[in-house]
Amino acid sequence: MQPTPERAFRKVSTNSLLKIRRTSWLRRIGGLLAVLLAGLQMSPAEVPGVLNYQGRIAVDGTNFSGSGQFKFALVNANGTETFWSNDGSSTAGSPPAAAVTLPVTRGLYQLLLGDTSLANMTAVPHGVFHHPDVRLRIWFNDGARGFQHLLPDQRLAPAGYAMKAASAERVEKMELSGILTAPARWVAAWGTNTDGALNVPAGLINVVQAAAGDGFSLALKSDGTLSAWGGNASGQTSIPSAAASGIKAIAAGTAHSLAVKTDGTVLAWGANGNGQCDVPPSLSGVIQVAAGGSHSMARRGDGTVVVWGDNAFGQTNVPGSLSHVTAIAAGSDHCLALTSAGNVTAWGRNDAGQCDIPSDLGSVSAIAAGALHSLALKAGTSVAAWGWNLGGQCNVPAGLSGVTAIDGGYAHSAAVKGDGSVIAWGDSAHGETSVPSSLGGVIAVSSQGTHTLALRAPLVQARLARLDEANVFTEKTGLGRVPAINRLEVEGQASKSTAGNWAANSDRRIKTDIQPVTGALETLGRLKPVTFHYTPEYLAQHPGIENVPYFNVIAQEFREVFPDAVKFSGERMPDGSDILQVDTYPATITSLAAIRELHTLVKQRDTEIAELKARLARLEEITSRRDPETPLPK
C-alpha cells in the first residue's frame, strides 16, 4: 500500500524536529517568500486575480532541478473547504485533477497563481481574502514518485489589500495578524538547564532541525552546518570535523549524537560504551537517524532499518519482516518503526509495555518514543500513548486534537497543534510541561530527559503596530540580530528622527530613596576610557560593524567601578564564555555629579583667591605709606 500524500509528509521520530515535514523521498525545505497583490484596479472590495508565489523543493535532501508538476489550492485553516484551485476542480481540500508544469532550478520555482496564460490555471476569485483564514495547499510530483502533499499549508495575507483599506476597522477585518515574518527565536527551550541544554546560542537562525539529548542539544541549519550546546562529558557536543558541513539530518541520544551526510552516510560521536557510535562501515543511503540510550537507528531510502549499539534488550534485532518503513523512533532501550501502511512495529525493552502496540491503533501518520513510553499520531490528528506512566506522560489531555507533531522525554510528552501552539503533559518537577507563554509558530518539538526544544516555522505571524491603539510588545525584538537579553537589540547603527537619548520618566513623585551622587571625581578617576578595534573574528560574525577605531571602556574594568552596569550580551566566545556589554549611563550621571563637584571647588577657590587678593592689596597700601628709610619691624 502506498502512503497517502498527507501521511507521507507527517512521519515523526523522537530526535528529529523535521519529522513532520518530510517523506522518505521528498522534503520541502522552503516556504512562502512573497505574496504580492498586483492589478490595475484595487479597492477594499476587490483583490487582483493573481498572486506572486515563490517556493523551494528538495528531493532526498538535494535541491530539485528539472520540470516539476504542481497542484495548488487555497483552503481554510483545517483544509476542509476549498476557495480556489488551479483548475477549479478541488473540493473540500482535495487535490485538483490537472497539474501545472513549472521549471525548477536548484530547488527554486516561481509563478503567478491565477495566471490564466498557464495551462490548467484559473484566475483567483476577487473575494477569496474575505475569508478570515486562507491557506495555500500544494502537491508536488517530480515525475517519478507521484503527487505528494507538501506540509504545512501556508497562510496568506492580502498585504496590498490591507493598504488600500479606507479605515482602521476595514484593516482589522483583513486579518493583519496573518502577515508573516522571520521568527526572532528559531529554537526555544524549557525544562532542566543543569548542563546548559537550554542556553540556545545567540544568533542561531535558519534552523531546519533541532534535537534534544539528555542534558544537551543539537541544531541543524539550512546551510548544512551544526550547532551544539549543553553537557559535553562524553564529547557529545564536540562536533567532529567530518560533520562541519554537508549535514542533512541529526539525532541526539542520552550522551551521543548522530548526523546524516548529504551522501547518505552516517557520522556518530560522544559516548560509545556500547558501540552506539560504531557506525556499520557499509551503511549508506540513509535519510533518517534516531538515537536511544545506548543504541542508534538508521532508516534508508529503500525503507529498510539498521540498528547498532547496545542489544541488552534486543534493540538491534530488527524484525526480519519489517519493510517499507517511513519513520523511526528510539526510546532509551526500545525501537519504533512506522510503515507506509500506517502500522507501527516495536521491539526492544518492554518491561513497561512500551512495545505493546494498542490493538485499536491504526492509520498512524507519525511516531515518537520517550524513555520508557511510546507515542503515535493518528491520521485524525489525535494522539495515542502507551508504556510507563508514572509521571502521567501517557495521560493524553482530553480533547487534544489538531496535532501535527509529537515527542516524548523521560516522563513527559509534548504535542504541536496546527495553530503553532505546544501542549505538554506528564511530570513537571523540572518545568518540563511549563511551555513558554509567548511561544507560537512552532512546527516541531524534540524532547529527551527533562528538557524540550521547539522549532519555529521559517515564517511566523508578524507583530503589527496600529496607530489608533496602544502598542506594547511583550516579547524581545531584534533589528538585524536575534535578541537575547534586552527588550530591543539592534545590530549596527540606530537613531531617532531627532538625535538624542531616549526619554525616561524622572518625576520626583514616582521616586523614593533619593540620594545625591558623591565622590564623583574620585569615581571618574578610576575609569579608563580607551580606543579600540574589534577583532577580525568578531567583525566576521557582525558584518554591519565597521573596522574603525571606537571610543568606549573595557567591560571587565568598568565592572570594578559600576558592577551593576555590566551584563551578559547574549553572545558567547568560541570557548563558550559570556561576552559582556556595558551600560555607560552611570558614568554619564557620575560625570554630571563630578562637574557639580568641580563647580563647587572652583567657587571655593574663587573665594579664597578673592580673600588673598584683598590681603595683598592691604599690604601694598601699607608698604606704599612707609618711610623707605625706616626699617621694617622684625
Side-chain angles (χ1 to χ4, degrees):
M1 177 179 179
Q2 294 299 316
T4 64
E6 292 80 8
R7 177 181 302 151
F9 272 83
R10 298 170 69 177
K11 312 307 180 190
V12 181
S13 70
T14 187
N15 293 309
S16 173
L17 279 181
L18 273 184
K19 47 204 170 187
I20 64 166
R21 298 293 180 251
R22 67 174 181 235
T23 66
S24 61
W25 61 271
L26 184 147
R27 175 165 60 93
R28 182 172 187 272
I29 61 176
L32 183 65
L33 300 179
V35 176
L36 305 175
L37 302 182
L40 297 176
Q41 300 296 325
M42 190 174 190
S43 71
E46 289 188 344
V47 176
V50 293
L51 302 173
N52 188 359
Y53 177 78
Q54 292 182 341
R56 189 177 179 195
I57 288 290
V59 177
D60 288 339
T62 302
N63 289 334
F64 176 79
S65 291
S67 180
Q69 295 178 298
F70 295 83
K71 296 181 179 182
F72 302 96
L74 296 177
V75 300
N76 62 352
N78 58 19
T80 59
E81 182 179 359
T82 299
F83 305 135
W84 167 89
S85 63
N86 59 272
D87 69 350
S89 66
S90 171
T91 59
S94 65
V100 178
T101 302
L102 298 172
V104 183
T105 303
R106 292 191 296 274
L108 298 177
Y109 65 97
Q110 180 178 356
L111 79 158
L112 290 175
L113 296 171
D115 182 2
T116 55
S117 66
L118 295 175
N120 302 319
M121 181 70 76
T122 62
V124 177
H126 293 307
V128 68
F129 286 111
H130 290 177
H131 301 283
D133 193 334
V134 179
R135 314 223 171 188
L136 177 61
R137 176 168 287 186
I138 304 174
W139 295 263
F140 173 71
N141 179 9
D142 67 346
R145 300 172 177 87
F147 282 95
Q148 297 291 326
H149 177 196
L150 307 184
L151 289 178
D153 296 338
Q154 299 172 71
R155 190 170 186 176
L156 305 187
Y161 191 18
M163 286 188 284
K164 290 293 291 185
S167 67
E169 288 73 19
R170 287 180 179 174
V171 171
E172 190 172 28
K173 291 178 181 179
M174 291 307 107
E175 280 290 326
L176 286 183
S177 61
I179 295 178
L180 304 177
T181 185
R185 290 184 304 156
W186 291 70
V187 178
W190 64 93
T192 300
N193 197 35
T194 304
D195 296 317
L198 308 187
N199 298 337
V200 180
L204 181 62
I205 60 175
N206 298 324
V207 178
V208 295
Q209 186 180 355
D214 193 353
F216 72 100
S217 303
L218 297 177
L220 170 62
K221 295 189 289 185
S222 58
D223 61 1
T225 61
L226 300 180
S227 181
W229 62 96
N232 195 36
S234 300
Q236 59 268 48
T237 62
S238 298
I239 301 171
S241 58
S245 62
I247 304 301
K248 67 177 182 178
I250 56 174
T254 297
H256 74 290
S257 303
L258 301 174
V260 182
K261 300 272 290 182
T262 53
D263 63 3
T265 59
V266 175
L267 301 173
W269 62 95
N272 195 33
N274 292 279
Q276 59 266 46
C277 292
D278 294 336
V279 181
S282 61
L283 183 62
S284 62
V286 175
I287 59 176
Q288 183 193 355
V289 285
S294 297
H295 70 286
S296 302
M297 302 180 68
R299 176 171 64 92
R300 293 186 289 206
D302 61 2
T304 60
V305 175
V306 177
V307 185
W308 65 96
D310 184 24
N311 196 37
F313 298 93
Q315 304 96 300
T316 67
N317 299 333
V318 181
S321 60
L322 185 63
S323 62
H324 299 97
V325 175
T326 57
I328 54 175
S332 289
D333 300 300
H334 73 290
C335 303
L336 297 178
L338 176 65
T339 69
S340 58
N343 299 321
V344 180
T345 299
W347 66 96
R349 187 174 182 177
N350 195 35
D351 52 357
Q354 58 267 51
C355 292
D356 294 335
I357 310 298
S359 58
D360 60 346
L361 188 65
S363 300
V364 173
S365 59
I367 54 174
L372 298 169
H373 70 290
S374 303
L375 299 162
L377 179 59
K378 294 186 282 188
T381 67
S382 61
V383 178
W386 62 96
W388 186 50
N389 195 36
L390 183 63
Q393 60 267 40
C394 294
N395 297 336
V396 180
L400 179 62
S401 61
V403 175
T404 59
I406 51 176
D407 211 348
Y410 179 70
H412 73 285
S413 302
V416 180
K417 299 190 65 175
D419 61 3
S421 62
V422 176
I423 306 297
W425 64 95
D427 184 31
S428 194
H430 303 281
E432 298 95 316
T433 64
S434 300
V435 180
S437 59
S438 61
L439 185 62
V442 175
I443 57 175
V445 288
S446 179
S447 298
Q448 190 157 162
T450 53
H451 86 285
T452 297
L453 302 177
L455 176 63
R456 302 187 76 185
L459 296 174
V460 299
Q461 287 187 352
R463 291 173 293 169
L464 301 176
R466 275 184 48 175
L467 299 181
D468 62 338
E469 67 181 19
N471 292 280
V472 179
F473 293 154
T474 58
E475 296 184 7
K476 299 181 180 68
T477 300
L479 301 178
R481 63 172 289 157
V482 177
I485 299 297
N486 303 306
R487 182 65 61 83
L488 173 64
E489 297 185 18
V490 179
E491 181 74 23
Q493 303 297 325
S495 67
K496 301 189 299 180
S497 58
T498 301
N501 292 328
W502 299 100
N505 291 333
S506 298
D507 195 310
R508 174 181 288 271
R509 293 169 299 177
I510 62 173
K511 298 183 177 181
T512 186
D513 194 25
I514 300 173
Q515 301 292 333
V517 176
T518 59
L521 280 173
E522 180 183 355
T523 300
L524 286 183
R526 298 169 57 196
L527 296 180
K528 303 173 184 178
V530 298
T531 64
F532 65 93
H533 283 79
Y534 285 107
T535 65
E537 294 78 12
Y538 193 77
L539 290 172
Q541 296 172 359
H542 302 272
I545 298 179
E546 297 181 70
N547 187 17
V548 297
Y550 288 91
F551 293 80
N552 209 316
V553 295
I554 302 301
Q556 287 81 354
E557 297 174 354
F558 198 79
R559 183 165 53 187
E560 296 176 2
V561 183
F562 297 109
D564 294 334
V566 177
K567 300 184 183 300
F568 172 37
S569 69
E571 297 182 81
R572 289 184 171 83
M573 296 293 291
D575 63 2
S577 59
D578 296 340
I579 294 179
L580 303 178
Q581 65 180 4
V582 172
D583 178 5
T584 57
Y585 187 70
T588 301
I589 297 301
T590 303
S591 297
L592 293 176
I595 292 172
R596 184 180 180 88
E597 290 181 1
L598 282 173
H599 180 65
T600 301
L601 288 174
V602 169
K603 290 178 64 176
Q604 291 174 352
R605 296 298 185 268
D606 287 345
T607 300
E608 292 174 358
I609 291 172
E611 292 175 352
L612 290 173
K613 285 182 176 180
R615 292 177 62 185
L616 180 60
R618 287 195 298 273
L619 286 174
E620 289 177 344
E621 181 182 359
I622 293 172
T623 57
S624 67
R625 295 196 301 265
R626 182 180 62 83
D627 182 356
E629 300 299 328
T630 304
L632 291 171
K634 295 182 179 179

